[in-house]
Amino acid sequence: GDSVTQMEGPVTLSEEAFLTINCTYTATGYPSLFWYVQYPGEGLQLLLKATKADDKGSNKGFEATYRKETTSFHLEKGSVQVSDSAVYFCALSGGANSKLTFGKGITLSVRP
Amino acid sequence: ETGVTQSPTHLIKTRGQQVTLRCSSQSGHNTVSWYQQALGQGPQFIFQYYREEENGRGNFPPRFSGLQFPNYSSELNVNALELDDSALYLCASSPAVEQETQYFGPGTRLLVL
């Protein structure tokens, strides 16, 4: 079945550092790929998405490129802020009912 | 535009009891999905409702059931609660033309004692 693997965490960075969070997936067909962010005590917010190979999703300075050849969708940001501290989930959507399959999530802490 | 809302925000139940969680979808969205998020884990798909019919189900037992109403709001019912049902329950809605893009509510945190 479909699965999403995220790099082990947590990740701690200094403000203005470069961020990469790795995500790889296994799926039949051609899934759509997503990054969601969860701030403490809240639900999930859609951060960005890509629906086909080589698409780049971007939002709030974050970017991720759908790489079919490596089955990856790594999240990057050039300069993180303290306000980016949250849990980040990679997810894919495929199949008849478009259910989301999530990775385990990774906690990012950004220190001033 | 009002986003996805859920009620209650927190709930405490004892083992064996039954619980009903509620969700109002975002305006214009006719598809609702429910997810269970255990502490420290990613959300797991429970089921989805489209036009008041179940439209797919994850690996959850029949004591997890749901409903969708004509206004597209939805309920999640869990019977015979077990300790492992303690989790954050998330509702997500999506428009029919783009079902895969789901917008989440703040969740209901359920604690089973």
Side-chain angles (χ1 to χ4, degrees):
Chain A
D2 295 348
S3 66
V4 175
T5 302
Q6 292 185 234
M7 60 184 278
E8 294 288 328
V11 173
T12 301
L13 296 173
S14 297
E15 202 165 26
E16 299 183 3
F18 183 84
L19 169 70
T20 298
I21 301 177
N22 289 343
C23 171
T24 57
Y25 67 90
T26 301
T28 55
Y30 303 95
S32 293
L33 302 174
F34 303 83
W35 278 99
Y36 281 86
V37 58
Q38 187 172 35
Y39 297 100
E42 298 185 10
L44 275 68
Q45 295 181 21
L46 176 63
L47 182 58
L48 53 83
K49 69 176 184 179
T51 58
K52 61 182 187 297
D54 300 325
D55 266 3
K56 177 185 285 188
S58 61
N59 186 27
K60 300 181 181 179
F62 290 90
E63 293 183 340
T65 300
Y66 190 141
R67 301 285 188 200
K68 185 171 181 293
E69 64 275 15
T70 54
T71 62
S72 65
F73 193 54
H74 305 321
L75 182 68
E76 296 182 336
K77 187 174 185 182
S79 176
V80 294
Q81 306 300 311
V82 172
S83 58
D84 294 326
S85 298
V87 181
Y88 290 81
F89 292 93
C90 184
L92 69 81
S93 175
N97 62 8
S98 302
K99 70 169 189 176
L100 289 170
T101 300
F102 286 87
K104 289 187 176 180
I106 186 168
T107 300
L108 170 65
S109 298
V110 180
R111 54 175 183 250
Chain B
E1 184 178 276
T2 305
V4 179
T5 59
Q6 294 186 241
S7 62
T9 56
H10 295 82
L11 204 50
I12 300 175
K13 292 285 188 179
T14 56
R15 196 169 45 182
Q17 285 189 310
Q18 178 265 342
V19 69
T20 297
L21 310 181
R22 294 179 175 82
C23 170
S24 291
S25 60
Q26 189 168 319
S27 178
H29 290 187
N30 59 8
T31 301
V32 172
S33 304
W34 286 92
Y35 294 81
Q36 180 195 67
Q37 185 181 15
L39 201 60
Q41 300 296 316
Q44 298 289 317
F45 175 72
I46 303 175
F47 43 56
Q48 182 183 88
Y49 278 83
Y50 171 63
R51 292 185 174 179
E52 303 176 56
E53 297 284 333
E54 189 178 285
N55 185 41
R57 187 181 184 91
N59 189 27
F60 281 81
R63 58 190 186 84
F64 286 77
S65 62
L67 283 173
Q68 187 180 31
F69 301 99
N71 66 354
Y72 305 127
S73 65
S74 177
E75 287 183 353
L76 164 65
N77 299 289
V78 187
N79 293 322
L81 283 167
E82 300 178 358
L83 298 180
D84 284 350
D85 295 334
S86 296
L88 180 67
Y89 288 84
L90 295 163
C91 170
S93 72
S94 50
V97 295
E98 199 179 355
Q99 273 190 341
E100 63 184 13
T101 303
Q102 299 181 23
Y103 299 88
F104 285 80
T108 294
R109 188 162 296 281
L110 172 65
L111 178 61
V112 182
L113 302 175

mmCIF file of all heavy atoms in Angstrom, chain A residues 31-32 34 36 38 41-46 49 51 89 93 96-105, chain B residues 35 37 40-45 48 55-58 88 90 98-107:
data_model
loop_
_atom_site.group_PDB
_atom_site.id
_atom_site.type_symbol
_atom_site.label_atom_id
_atom_site.label_comp_id
_atom_site.label_asym_id
_atom_site.label_seq_id
_atom_site.Cartn_x
_atom_site.Cartn_y
_atom_site.Cartn_z
ATOM 1 N N PRO A 31 0.476 9.830 -7.434
ATOM 2 C CA PRO A 31 -0.201 10.561 -6.355
ATOM 3 C C PRO A 31 0.069 12.056 -6.411
ATOM 4 O O PRO A 31 1.012 12.510 -7.067
ATOM 5 C CB PRO A 31 0.438 9.959 -5.097
ATOM 6 C CG PRO A 31 1.814 9.572 -5.538
ATOM 7 C CD PRO A 31 1.652 9.102 -6.966
ATOM 8 N N SER A 32 -0.755 12.808 -5.724
ATOM 9 C CA SER A 32 -0.453 14.206 -5.427
ATOM 10 C C SER A 32 0.270 14.228 -4.088
ATOM 11 O O SER A 32 0.043 13.375 -3.228
ATOM 12 C CB SER A 32 -1.729 15.034 -5.352
ATOM 13 O OG SER A 32 -2.333 15.116 -6.613
ATOM 14 N N PHE A 34 1.812 16.538 -0.655
ATOM 15 C CA PHE A 34 1.470 17.678 0.186
ATOM 16 C C PHE A 34 2.448 17.808 1.340
ATOM 17 O O PHE A 34 3.016 16.831 1.813
ATOM 18 C CB PHE A 34 0.065 17.493 0.797
ATOM 19 C CG PHE A 34 -1.034 17.283 -0.213
ATOM 20 C CD1 PHE A 34 -1.275 16.023 -0.728
ATOM 21 C CD2 PHE A 34 -1.823 18.340 -0.619
ATOM 22 C CE1 PHE A 34 -2.286 15.813 -1.658
ATOM 23 C CE2 PHE A 34 -2.836 18.145 -1.550
ATOM 24 C CZ PHE A 34 -3.063 16.879 -2.058
ATOM 25 N N TYR A 36 1.934 19.529 5.146
ATOM 26 C CA TYR A 36 1.060 20.179 6.121
ATOM 27 C C TYR A 36 1.902 20.593 7.326
ATOM 28 O O TYR A 36 2.894 19.941 7.648
ATOM 29 C CB TYR A 36 -0.036 19.222 6.599
ATOM 30 C CG TYR A 36 -1.198 19.063 5.638
ATOM 31 C CD1 TYR A 36 -1.147 18.144 4.601
ATOM 32 C CD2 TYR A 36 -2.349 19.840 5.783
ATOM 33 C CE1 TYR A 36 -2.222 18.006 3.727
ATOM 34 C CE2 TYR A 36 -3.431 19.697 4.919
ATOM 35 C CZ TYR A 36 -3.357 18.786 3.894
ATOM 36 O OH TYR A 36 -4.424 18.646 3.037
ATOM 37 N N GLN A 38 1.623 21.740 11.539
ATOM 38 C CA GLN A 38 0.764 21.722 12.735
ATOM 39 C C GLN A 38 1.447 22.497 13.842
ATOM 40 O O GLN A 38 2.485 22.086 14.351
ATOM 41 C CB GLN A 38 0.501 20.282 13.171
ATOM 42 C CG GLN A 38 -0.517 20.159 14.298
ATOM 43 C CD GLN A 38 -0.898 18.706 14.573
ATOM 44 O OE1 GLN A 38 -0.072 17.803 14.467
ATOM 45 N NE2 GLN A 38 -2.156 18.458 14.911
ATOM 46 N N GLY A 41 -1.082 22.618 19.649
ATOM 47 C CA GLY A 41 -2.484 22.707 20.057
ATOM 48 C C GLY A 41 -3.455 22.982 18.937
ATOM 49 O O GLY A 41 -4.634 23.256 19.205
ATOM 50 N N GLU A 42 -3.006 22.899 17.688
ATOM 51 C CA GLU A 42 -3.891 23.221 16.566
ATOM 52 C C GLU A 42 -4.040 22.043 15.607
ATOM 53 O O GLU A 42 -3.346 21.029 15.724
ATOM 54 C CB GLU A 42 -3.350 24.440 15.812
ATOM 55 C CG GLU A 42 -3.285 25.697 16.659
ATOM 56 C CD GLU A 42 -2.858 26.903 15.847
ATOM 57 O OE1 GLU A 42 -2.794 26.814 14.607
ATOM 58 O OE2 GLU A 42 -2.580 27.942 16.482
ATOM 59 N N GLY A 43 -4.944 22.206 14.636
ATOM 60 C CA GLY A 43 -5.091 21.217 13.577
ATOM 61 C C GLY A 43 -4.028 21.422 12.513
ATOM 62 O O GLY A 43 -3.069 22.178 12.710
ATOM 63 N N LEU A 44 -4.189 20.747 11.394
ATOM 64 C CA LEU A 44 -3.199 20.815 10.319
ATOM 65 C C LEU A 44 -3.549 21.929 9.330
ATOM 66 O O LEU A 44 -4.707 22.108 8.964
ATOM 67 C CB LEU A 44 -3.149 19.488 9.561
ATOM 68 C CG LEU A 44 -2.268 18.395 10.140
ATOM 69 C CD1 LEU A 44 -2.822 17.871 11.441
ATOM 70 C CD2 LEU A 44 -2.095 17.267 9.137
ATOM 71 N N GLN A 45 -2.518 22.636 8.890
ATOM 72 C CA GLN A 45 -2.694 23.653 7.858
ATOM 73 C C GLN A 45 -1.957 23.210 6.609
ATOM 74 O O GLN A 45 -0.806 22.768 6.691
ATOM 75 C CB GLN A 45 -2.120 24.995 8.320
ATOM 76 C CG GLN A 45 -2.826 25.623 9.504
ATOM 77 C CD GLN A 45 -2.211 26.951 9.888
ATOM 78 O OE1 GLN A 45 -1.536 27.595 9.080
ATOM 79 N NE2 GLN A 45 -2.429 27.380 11.117
ATOM 80 N N LEU A 46 -2.612 23.321 5.472
ATOM 81 C CA LEU A 46 -1.968 23.000 4.211
ATOM 82 C C LEU A 46 -0.887 24.038 3.928
ATOM 83 O O LEU A 46 -1.160 25.245 3.897
ATOM 84 C CB LEU A 46 -2.995 22.996 3.084
ATOM 85 C CG LEU A 46 -2.470 22.760 1.682
ATOM 86 C CD1 LEU A 46 -1.837 21.377 1.562
ATOM 87 C CD2 LEU A 46 -3.598 22.902 0.657
ATOM 88 N N LYS A 49 1.502 22.114 -2.090
ATOM 89 C CA LYS A 49 1.187 20.850 -2.740
ATOM 90 C C LYS A 49 1.758 20.830 -4.150
ATOM 91 O O LYS A 49 2.092 21.879 -4.715
ATOM 92 C CB LYS A 49 -0.322 20.628 -2.791
ATOM 93 C CG LYS A 49 -1.044 21.594 -3.733
ATOM 94 C CD LYS A 49 -2.525 21.254 -3.820
ATOM 95 C CE LYS A 49 -3.219 22.148 -4.833
ATOM 96 N NZ LYS A 49 -4.658 21.836 -4.957
ATOM 97 N N THR A 51 0.984 18.359 -7.823
ATOM 98 C CA THR A 51 0.093 17.313 -8.331
ATOM 99 C C THR A 51 0.704 16.440 -9.411
ATOM 100 O O THR A 51 0.113 15.414 -9.773
ATOM 101 C CB THR A 51 -1.212 17.941 -8.857
ATOM 102 O OG1 THR A 51 -0.873 18.875 -9.886
ATOM 103 C CG2 THR A 51 -1.957 18.664 -7.746
ATOM 104 N N PHE A 89 4.335 17.665 8.371
ATOM 105 C CA PHE A 89 3.922 16.358 7.879
ATOM 106 C C PHE A 89 3.947 16.354 6.355
ATOM 107 O O PHE A 89 3.377 17.243 5.709
ATOM 108 C CB PHE A 89 2.489 16.030 8.323
ATOM 109 C CG PHE A 89 2.325 15.802 9.787
ATOM 110 C CD1 PHE A 89 1.962 16.838 10.623
ATOM 111 C CD2 PHE A 89 2.540 14.542 10.330
ATOM 112 C CE1 PHE A 89 1.808 16.637 11.991
ATOM 113 C CE2 PHE A 89 2.376 14.325 11.695
ATOM 114 C CZ PHE A 89 2.021 15.374 12.517
ATOM 115 N N SER A 93 -1.746 11.731 -1.673
ATOM 116 C CA SER A 93 -3.148 11.435 -1.950
ATOM 117 C C SER A 93 -3.234 10.647 -3.231
ATOM 118 O O SER A 93 -2.698 11.061 -4.255
ATOM 119 C CB SER A 93 -3.951 12.719 -2.079
ATOM 120 O OG SER A 93 -5.277 12.437 -2.458
ATOM 121 N N ALA A 96 -9.158 6.100 -5.220
ATOM 122 C CA ALA A 96 -10.497 6.533 -5.597
ATOM 123 C C ALA A 96 -11.054 7.628 -4.706
ATOM 124 O O ALA A 96 -11.726 8.539 -5.166
ATOM 125 C CB ALA A 96 -11.447 5.332 -5.596
ATOM 126 N N ASN A 97 -10.772 7.579 -3.415
ATOM 127 C CA ASN A 97 -11.390 8.563 -2.528
ATOM 128 C C ASN A 97 -10.429 9.634 -2.053
ATOM 129 O O ASN A 97 -10.765 10.419 -1.177
ATOM 130 C CB ASN A 97 -12.015 7.868 -1.315
ATOM 131 C CG ASN A 97 -10.999 7.131 -0.475
ATOM 132 O OD1 ASN A 97 -9.806 7.244 -0.705
ATOM 133 N ND2 ASN A 97 -11.458 6.387 0.499
ATOM 134 N N SER A 98 -9.242 9.691 -2.671
ATOM 135 C CA SER A 98 -8.284 10.759 -2.372
ATOM 136 C C SER A 98 -7.933 10.856 -0.895
ATOM 137 O O SER A 98 -7.657 11.951 -0.402
ATOM 138 C CB SER A 98 -8.843 12.110 -2.847
ATOM 139 O OG SER A 98 -9.109 12.065 -4.223
ATOM 140 N N LYS A 99 -7.935 9.726 -0.182
ATOM 141 C CA LYS A 99 -7.539 9.791 1.215
ATOM 142 C C LYS A 99 -6.077 10.215 1.302
ATOM 143 O O LYS A 99 -5.276 9.948 0.411
ATOM 144 C CB LYS A 99 -7.713 8.436 1.888
ATOM 145 C CG LYS A 99 -6.716 7.396 1.428
ATOM 146 C CD LYS A 99 -6.758 6.144 2.309
ATOM 147 C CE LYS A 99 -5.615 5.208 1.973
ATOM 148 N NZ LYS A 99 -5.547 4.027 2.835
ATOM 149 N N LEU A 100 -5.739 10.879 2.388
ATOM 150 C CA LEU A 100 -4.359 11.289 2.630
ATOM 151 C C LEU A 100 -3.638 10.234 3.458
ATOM 152 O O LEU A 100 -4.168 9.754 4.461
ATOM 153 C CB LEU A 100 -4.331 12.626 3.362
ATOM 154 C CG LEU A 100 -4.754 13.847 2.547
ATOM 155 C CD1 LEU A 100 -4.917 15.060 3.448
ATOM 156 C CD2 LEU A 100 -3.740 14.139 1.454
ATOM 157 N N THR A 101 -2.434 9.891 3.025
ATOM 158 C CA THR A 101 -1.534 9.032 3.794
ATOM 159 C C THR A 101 -0.391 9.913 4.277
ATOM 160 O O THR A 101 0.287 10.539 3.462
ATOM 161 C CB THR A 101 -0.999 7.881 2.921
ATOM 162 O OG1 THR A 101 -2.090 7.099 2.462
ATOM 163 C CG2 THR A 101 -0.038 7.016 3.721
ATOM 164 N N PHE A 102 -0.192 9.951 5.590
ATOM 165 C CA PHE A 102 0.776 10.861 6.200
ATOM 166 C C PHE A 102 2.032 10.135 6.645
ATOM 167 O O PHE A 102 1.999 8.960 7.014
ATOM 168 C CB PHE A 102 0.173 11.529 7.439
ATOM 169 C CG PHE A 102 -0.850 12.581 7.141
ATOM 170 C CD1 PHE A 102 -2.180 12.244 6.975
ATOM 171 C CD2 PHE A 102 -0.487 13.914 7.048
ATOM 172 C CE1 PHE A 102 -3.132 13.217 6.710
ATOM 173 C CE2 PHE A 102 -1.435 14.893 6.791
ATOM 174 C CZ PHE A 102 -2.752 14.543 6.619
ATOM 175 N N GLY A 103 3.137 10.882 6.665
ATOM 176 C CA GLY A 103 4.323 10.433 7.370
ATOM 177 C C GLY A 103 4.154 10.691 8.864
ATOM 178 O O GLY A 103 3.138 11.231 9.300
ATOM 179 N N LYS A 104 5.176 10.331 9.648
ATOM 180 C CA LYS A 104 5.080 10.443 11.099
ATOM 181 C C LYS A 104 5.226 11.878 11.594
ATOM 182 O O LYS A 104 4.928 12.174 12.749
ATOM 183 C CB LYS A 104 6.138 9.562 11.763
ATOM 184 C CG LYS A 104 5.843 8.082 11.629
ATOM 185 C CD LYS A 104 6.810 7.245 12.450
ATOM 186 C CE LYS A 104 6.439 5.779 12.371
ATOM 187 N NZ LYS A 104 7.356 4.939 13.170
ATOM 188 N N GLY A 105 5.701 12.755 10.728
ATOM 189 C CA GLY A 105 5.886 14.140 11.126
ATOM 190 C C GLY A 105 7.261 14.375 11.728
ATOM 191 O O GLY A 105 7.891 13.457 12.263
ATOM 192 N N TYR B 35 -9.944 11.743 10.463
ATOM 193 C CA TYR B 35 -8.641 11.153 10.752
ATOM 194 C C TYR B 35 -8.443 11.051 12.261
ATOM 195 O O TYR B 35 -8.937 11.891 13.019
ATOM 196 C CB TYR B 35 -7.513 12.018 10.169
ATOM 197 C CG TYR B 35 -7.487 12.081 8.667
ATOM 198 C CD1 TYR B 35 -8.321 12.941 7.975
ATOM 199 C CD2 TYR B 35 -6.631 11.267 7.931
ATOM 200 C CE1 TYR B 35 -8.319 12.999 6.585
ATOM 201 C CE2 TYR B 35 -6.612 11.313 6.540
ATOM 202 C CZ TYR B 35 -7.454 12.184 5.885
ATOM 203 O OH TYR B 35 -7.438 12.227 4.513
ATOM 204 N N GLN B 37 -5.402 11.014 15.065
ATOM 205 C CA GLN B 37 -3.980 11.296 15.260
ATOM 206 C C GLN B 37 -3.586 10.954 16.687
ATOM 207 O O GLN B 37 -3.914 11.687 17.631
ATOM 208 C CB GLN B 37 -3.660 12.762 14.956
ATOM 209 C CG GLN B 37 -2.172 13.065 15.020
ATOM 210 C CD GLN B 37 -1.837 14.521 14.747
ATOM 211 O OE1 GLN B 37 -2.695 15.395 14.775
ATOM 212 N NE2 GLN B 37 -0.579 14.789 14.452
ATOM 213 N N GLY B 40 2.148 12.029 18.908
ATOM 214 C CA GLY B 40 3.443 11.830 18.285
ATOM 215 C C GLY B 40 3.418 11.115 16.955
ATOM 216 O O GLY B 40 4.482 10.725 16.438
ATOM 217 N N GLN B 41 2.226 10.918 16.399
ATOM 218 C CA GLN B 41 2.098 10.196 15.135
ATOM 219 C C GLN B 41 1.427 11.070 14.079
ATOM 220 O O GLN B 41 0.842 12.116 14.382
ATOM 221 C CB GLN B 41 1.258 8.932 15.330
ATOM 222 C CG GLN B 41 1.836 7.947 16.326
ATOM 223 C CD GLN B 41 3.150 7.377 15.877
ATOM 224 O OE1 GLN B 41 3.328 7.008 14.718
ATOM 225 N NE2 GLN B 41 4.119 7.316 16.790
ATOM 226 N N GLY B 42 1.492 10.619 12.837
ATOM 227 C CA GLY B 42 0.750 11.270 11.778
ATOM 228 C C GLY B 42 -0.707 10.837 11.793
ATOM 229 O O GLY B 42 -1.035 9.771 12.319
ATOM 230 N N PRO B 43 -1.597 11.634 11.242
ATOM 231 C CA PRO B 43 -3.016 11.256 11.186
ATOM 232 C C PRO B 43 -3.236 9.984 10.372
ATOM 233 O O PRO B 43 -2.553 9.748 9.373
ATOM 234 C CB PRO B 43 -3.664 12.463 10.499
ATOM 235 C CG PRO B 43 -2.722 13.605 10.722
ATOM 236 C CD PRO B 43 -1.361 12.983 10.699
ATOM 237 N N GLN B 44 -4.221 9.192 10.815
ATOM 238 C CA GLN B 44 -4.607 7.971 10.118
ATOM 239 C C GLN B 44 -6.035 8.132 9.613
ATOM 240 O O GLN B 44 -6.927 8.533 10.377
ATOM 241 C CB GLN B 44 -4.537 6.775 11.070
ATOM 242 C CG GLN B 44 -3.143 6.495 11.609
ATOM 243 C CD GLN B 44 -2.213 5.949 10.570
ATOM 244 O OE1 GLN B 44 -2.583 5.080 9.783
ATOM 245 N NE2 GLN B 44 -0.986 6.464 10.533
ATOM 246 N N PHE B 45 -6.268 7.787 8.357
ATOM 247 C CA PHE B 45 -7.578 7.938 7.714
ATOM 248 C C PHE B 45 -8.587 6.974 8.327
ATOM 249 O O PHE B 45 -8.337 5.772 8.394
ATOM 250 C CB PHE B 45 -7.418 7.674 6.218
ATOM 251 C CG PHE B 45 -8.682 7.680 5.425
ATOM 252 C CD1 PHE B 45 -9.362 8.860 5.167
ATOM 253 C CD2 PHE B 45 -9.198 6.497 4.909
ATOM 254 C CE1 PHE B 45 -10.518 8.870 4.413
ATOM 255 C CE2 PHE B 45 -10.359 6.487 4.151
ATOM 256 C CZ PHE B 45 -11.014 7.680 3.901
ATOM 257 N N GLN B 48 -14.374 8.602 4.800
ATOM 258 C CA GLN B 48 -14.741 9.811 4.072
ATOM 259 C C GLN B 48 -16.224 9.736 3.699
ATOM 260 O O GLN B 48 -16.733 8.655 3.391
ATOM 261 C CB GLN B 48 -13.903 9.946 2.801
ATOM 262 C CG GLN B 48 -14.185 11.201 1.986
ATOM 263 C CD GLN B 48 -13.376 11.234 0.710
ATOM 264 O OE1 GLN B 48 -13.785 10.712 -0.327
ATOM 265 N NE2 GLN B 48 -12.202 11.855 0.780
ATOM 266 N N ASN B 55 -17.596 6.996 1.466
ATOM 267 C CA ASN B 55 -16.843 6.962 0.200
ATOM 268 C C ASN B 55 -15.422 6.466 0.452
ATOM 269 O O ASN B 55 -14.475 7.034 -0.043
ATOM 270 C CB ASN B 55 -16.826 8.369 -0.405
ATOM 271 C CG ASN B 55 -16.168 8.409 -1.759
ATOM 272 O OD1 ASN B 55 -16.367 7.513 -2.580
ATOM 273 N ND2 ASN B 55 -15.357 9.429 -2.006
ATOM 274 N N GLY B 56 -15.293 5.430 1.235
ATOM 275 C CA GLY B 56 -13.977 4.892 1.525
ATOM 276 C C GLY B 56 -13.753 4.842 3.010
ATOM 277 O O GLY B 56 -14.223 5.706 3.767
ATOM 278 N N ARG B 57 -13.023 3.818 3.452
ATOM 279 C CA ARG B 57 -12.810 3.585 4.870
ATOM 280 C C ARG B 57 -11.408 3.066 5.087
ATOM 281 O O ARG B 57 -10.906 2.260 4.295
ATOM 282 C CB ARG B 57 -13.836 2.574 5.366
ATOM 283 C CG ARG B 57 -13.841 2.368 6.861
ATOM 284 C CD ARG B 57 -14.889 1.331 7.263
ATOM 285 N NE ARG B 57 -14.932 1.216 8.714
ATOM 286 C CZ ARG B 57 -15.727 1.923 9.499
ATOM 287 N NH1 ARG B 57 -16.597 2.769 8.965
ATOM 288 N NH2 ARG B 57 -15.695 1.781 10.818
ATOM 289 N N GLY B 58 -10.793 3.503 6.146
ATOM 290 C CA GLY B 58 -9.473 3.012 6.511
ATOM 291 C C GLY B 58 -9.581 1.785 7.388
ATOM 292 O O GLY B 58 -10.652 1.187 7.537
ATOM 293 N N LEU B 88 -6.289 12.740 19.042
ATOM 294 C CA LEU B 88 -6.870 13.935 18.436
ATOM 295 C C LEU B 88 -7.625 13.489 17.186
ATOM 296 O O LEU B 88 -7.054 12.806 16.328
ATOM 297 C CB LEU B 88 -5.766 14.926 18.060
ATOM 298 C CG LEU B 88 -6.200 16.245 17.414
ATOM 299 C CD1 LEU B 88 -6.981 17.102 18.410
ATOM 300 C CD2 LEU B 88 -4.984 17.006 16.896
ATOM 301 N N LEU B 90 -9.438 14.532 13.834
ATOM 302 C CA LEU B 90 -9.411 15.634 12.891
ATOM 303 C C LEU B 90 -10.430 15.418 11.795
ATOM 304 O O LEU B 90 -10.542 14.323 11.249
ATOM 305 C CB LEU B 90 -8.019 15.770 12.271
ATOM 306 C CG LEU B 90 -6.893 16.147 13.223
ATOM 307 C CD1 LEU B 90 -5.542 15.856 12.594
ATOM 308 C CD2 LEU B 90 -7.001 17.613 13.613
ATOM 309 N N GLU B 98 -12.004 19.112 -6.300
ATOM 310 C CA GLU B 98 -10.610 18.954 -5.889
ATOM 311 C C GLU B 98 -10.569 18.193 -4.569
ATOM 312 O O GLU B 98 -10.055 18.686 -3.566
ATOM 313 C CB GLU B 98 -9.951 20.328 -5.751
ATOM 314 C CG GLU B 98 -8.441 20.272 -5.771
ATOM 315 C CD GLU B 98 -7.816 21.658 -5.652
ATOM 316 O OE1 GLU B 98 -8.553 22.652 -5.641
ATOM 317 O OE2 GLU B 98 -6.578 21.731 -5.543
ATOM 318 N N GLN B 99 -11.101 16.965 -4.581
ATOM 319 C CA GLN B 99 -11.255 16.195 -3.344
ATOM 320 C C GLN B 99 -9.939 15.955 -2.625
ATOM 321 O O GLN B 99 -9.919 15.796 -1.419
ATOM 322 C CB GLN B 99 -11.920 14.848 -3.653
ATOM 323 C CG GLN B 99 -13.420 14.890 -3.655
ATOM 324 C CD GLN B 99 -14.038 13.511 -3.712
ATOM 325 O OE1 GLN B 99 -13.397 12.542 -4.092
ATOM 326 N NE2 GLN B 99 -15.300 13.412 -3.323
ATOM 327 N N GLU B 100 -8.852 15.882 -3.393
ATOM 328 C CA GLU B 100 -7.587 15.517 -2.750
ATOM 329 C C GLU B 100 -7.015 16.632 -1.888
ATOM 330 O O GLU B 100 -6.201 16.369 -1.013
ATOM 331 C CB GLU B 100 -6.571 15.128 -3.818
ATOM 332 C CG GLU B 100 -6.234 16.273 -4.760
ATOM 333 C CD GLU B 100 -5.300 15.848 -5.865
ATOM 334 O OE1 GLU B 100 -5.108 14.641 -6.050
ATOM 335 O OE2 GLU B 100 -4.761 16.733 -6.550
ATOM 336 N N THR B 101 -7.424 17.869 -2.104
ATOM 337 C CA THR B 101 -6.913 18.980 -1.303
ATOM 338 C C THR B 101 -7.852 19.188 -0.132
ATOM 339 O O THR B 101 -8.962 19.686 -0.293
ATOM 340 C CB THR B 101 -6.795 20.255 -2.143
ATOM 341 O OG1 THR B 101 -5.953 19.990 -3.264
ATOM 342 C CG2 THR B 101 -6.193 21.373 -1.304
ATOM 343 N N GLN B 102 -7.391 18.790 1.050
ATOM 344 C CA GLN B 102 -8.246 18.759 2.225
ATOM 345 C C GLN B 102 -7.832 19.834 3.215
ATOM 346 O O GLN B 102 -6.635 20.045 3.456
ATOM 347 C CB GLN B 102 -8.184 17.372 2.863
ATOM 348 C CG GLN B 102 -8.672 16.286 1.905
ATOM 349 C CD GLN B 102 -8.649 14.906 2.494
ATOM 350 O OE1 GLN B 102 -8.673 14.724 3.715
ATOM 351 N NE2 GLN B 102 -8.633 13.904 1.630
ATOM 352 N N TYR B 103 -8.830 20.466 3.805
ATOM 353 C CA TYR B 103 -8.627 21.561 4.751
ATOM 354 C C TYR B 103 -9.135 21.099 6.111
ATOM 355 O O TYR B 103 -10.284 20.699 6.242
ATOM 356 C CB TYR B 103 -9.353 22.817 4.273
ATOM 357 C CG TYR B 103 -8.839 23.297 2.944
ATOM 358 C CD1 TYR B 103 -9.368 22.808 1.754
ATOM 359 C CD2 TYR B 103 -7.788 24.209 2.879
ATOM 360 C CE1 TYR B 103 -8.869 23.220 0.533
ATOM 361 C CE2 TYR B 103 -7.293 24.636 1.657
ATOM 362 C CZ TYR B 103 -7.831 24.130 0.494
ATOM 363 O OH TYR B 103 -7.331 24.543 -0.710
ATOM 364 N N PHE B 104 -8.247 21.187 7.095
ATOM 365 C CA PHE B 104 -8.523 20.582 8.388
ATOM 366 C C PHE B 104 -9.094 21.560 9.403
ATOM 367 O O PHE B 104 -8.769 22.763 9.398
ATOM 368 C CB PHE B 104 -7.234 19.985 8.963
ATOM 369 C CG PHE B 104 -6.823 18.700 8.313
ATOM 370 C CD1 PHE B 104 -6.169 18.694 7.091
ATOM 371 C CD2 PHE B 104 -7.102 17.479 8.915
ATOM 372 C CE1 PHE B 104 -5.805 17.503 6.476
ATOM 373 C CE2 PHE B 104 -6.737 16.287 8.326
ATOM 374 C CZ PHE B 104 -6.087 16.294 7.098
ATOM 375 N N GLY B 105 -9.921 21.003 10.289
ATOM 376 C CA GLY B 105 -10.370 21.733 11.450
ATOM 377 C C GLY B 105 -9.361 21.619 12.579
ATOM 378 O O GLY B 105 -8.340 20.947 12.440
ATOM 379 N N PRO B 106 -9.665 22.264 13.729
ATOM 380 C CA PRO B 106 -8.714 22.270 14.850
ATOM 381 C C PRO B 106 -8.659 20.960 15.617
ATOM 382 O O PRO B 106 -7.724 20.737 16.388
ATOM 383 C CB PRO B 106 -9.243 23.391 15.742
ATOM 384 C CG PRO B 106 -10.703 23.450 15.421
ATOM 385 C CD PRO B 106 -10.829 23.105 13.968
ATOM 386 N N GLY B 107 -9.632 20.088 15.402
ATOM 387 C CA GLY B 107 -9.615 18.783 16.050
ATOM 388 C C GLY B 107 -10.369 18.737 17.366
ATOM 389 O O GLY B 107 -10.648 19.766 17.996
#
